[in-house]
Amino acid sequence: MTKVAIREHPAPTAAIQQDAILEVRSVTKAFGGNRAVDDCSFSVYRGTITGLIGPNGAGKSTLLNVIAGALPATSGSILLDGEPIDGLRPDAMLRRGLTRTFQIPHPIPTMTVLENLVLAGQQQAGERIWNAWLRPGLVERQENAIIDQALGVLAYVNLLHLRDAYAANLSGGQKKLLEFARTLMVSPRLVLLDEPAAGINRTLMRQLTQHIEEQCRDHGMTFLIVEHDMDLVARLCDPVIVMAEGKRLTEGSFAEIRQDRAVLDAYLGGQIA
């Protein structure tokens, strides 16, 4: 059996406020006869960093794609701030305040780091061609404001020195930081993070972890994190939701779920230590 050593870290959130920003209600996602997500229900509470863990094939990433609007649910419903978001496209989700990152980052490789961030700026008047002709002053002022915002975000995530580098030339960890920076350009209420620790060295991981904690603590941003790195989950996440075979198995603090017999039986071959 595989045994994973886990160090204890204090969770950044002391208590869960019963104020759900996201509600997953009896969601099922089937591919043919296979139910990757099977009648799964849980809530994510405002101002928390909630972990979503489970063995490979538990349905975590599929469920994240359903929540983000990349995949339609077979049945069930998803509510954001009490409003249904089932069937909305990802761009509509973004306007509602929900954004996501990917396990494998997707920057535009032929654009610079700064250009990738500027592109993420919302409601740009220059996107409408008639504004460039009829309201050039507005377009220029807005573009300058977005550039200033992007430079500030790059400084915050320690990528300012790479502002003119092509995204294709970044390391895997730098691409993760850039993708996180893009979420900050839109000031989301809820961020879905798909395995932020995958393919990233420990130095950059500490930076990203610090940024997540700061955005939650200082700016009220809520996070739902799918992750296999138990050190990261132990440090960041409270509560932790455990999935197995497409279902929600249990939920609690990391200290609680690591002692849960059902979790020990289902997750990582029965050993979490």
Side-chain angles (χ1 to χ4, degrees), residues 35-190:
R35 291 192 173 195
V37 180
D38 187 5
D39 194 26
C40 187
S41 298
F42 61 80
S43 295
V44 173
Y45 297 99
R46 197 178 314 277
T48 65
I49 303 173
T50 298
L52 184 60
I53 71 171
N56 289 330
K60 306 179 299 298
S61 290
T62 299
L63 179 56
L64 208 69
N65 284 327
V66 171
I67 295 171
L71 290 173
T74 303
S75 61
S77 60
I78 300 169
L79 280 70
L80 181 67
D81 271 330
E83 298 292 331
I85 56 173
D86 312 83
L88 293 182
R89 299 184 314 184
D91 60 323
M93 299 280 195
L94 186 59
R95 289 193 292 273
R96 298 282 188 96
L98 185 154
T99 188
R100 67 164 306 172
T101 67
F102 295 86
Q103 180 181 350
I104 300 174
H106 294 102
I108 299 176
T110 57
M111 297 180 71
T112 68
V113 168
L114 179 59
E115 288 168 342
N116 267 273
L117 279 202
V118 169
L119 189 65
Q122 294 297 293
Q123 298 179 339
Q124 300 184 43
E127 293 177 350
R128 296 174 175 83
I129 191 168
W130 55 84
N131 281 329
W133 297 333
L134 302 177
R135 308 171 73 187
L138 171 64
V139 171
E140 182 179 7
R141 288 193 301 273
Q142 190 178 67
E143 287 179 348
N144 289 336
I146 291 172
I147 289 171
D148 287 343
Q149 179 191 5
L151 291 172
V153 170
L154 287 178
Y156 173 68
V157 299
N158 298 317
L159 290 179
L160 186 58
H161 62 293
L162 294 171
R163 54 176 286 179
D164 296 321
Y166 288 108
N169 296 329
L170 300 183
S171 70
Q174 290 167 340
K175 289 178 181 178
K176 284 286 180 79
L177 286 175
L178 175 59
E179 191 164 64
F180 183 75
R182 291 184 65 181
T183 70
L184 300 183
M185 290 293 294
V186 300
S187 302
R189 290 178 289 163
L190 174 63

Side-chain angles (χ1 to χ4, degrees), residues 205-223:
M205 190 65 250
R206 283 193 294 271
Q207 292 181 31
L208 181 56
T209 298
Q210 180 181 347
H211 297 325
I212 293 169
E213 290 175 325
E214 289 174 349
Q215 291 302 312
C216 180
R217 180 185 65 240
D218 299 337
H219 301 285
M221 202 174 290
T222 303
F223 293 87

Side-chain angles (χ1 to χ4, degrees), residues 1-9 202 228-234 254 258 267-268 271-273:
M1 297 292 183
T2 302
K3 187 172 183 177
V4 179
I6 296 175
R7 299 189 299 272
E8 290 285 1
H9 299 280
R202 287 294 172 181
H228 286 288
D229 186 321
M230 292 297 102
D231 281 341
L232 178 67
V233 172
F254 186 81
R258 69 181 294 181
Y267 187 67
L268 288 179
Q271 296 287 338
I272 298 182

Side-chain angles (χ1 to χ4, degrees), residues 101 176 193-200 205 208 212 225-227 232:
T101 67
K176 284 286 180 79
L193 300 179
D194 193 357
E195 298 197 31
I200 184 171
M205 190 65 250
L208 181 56
I212 293 169
I225 303 178
V226 170
E227 187 51 70
L232 178 67

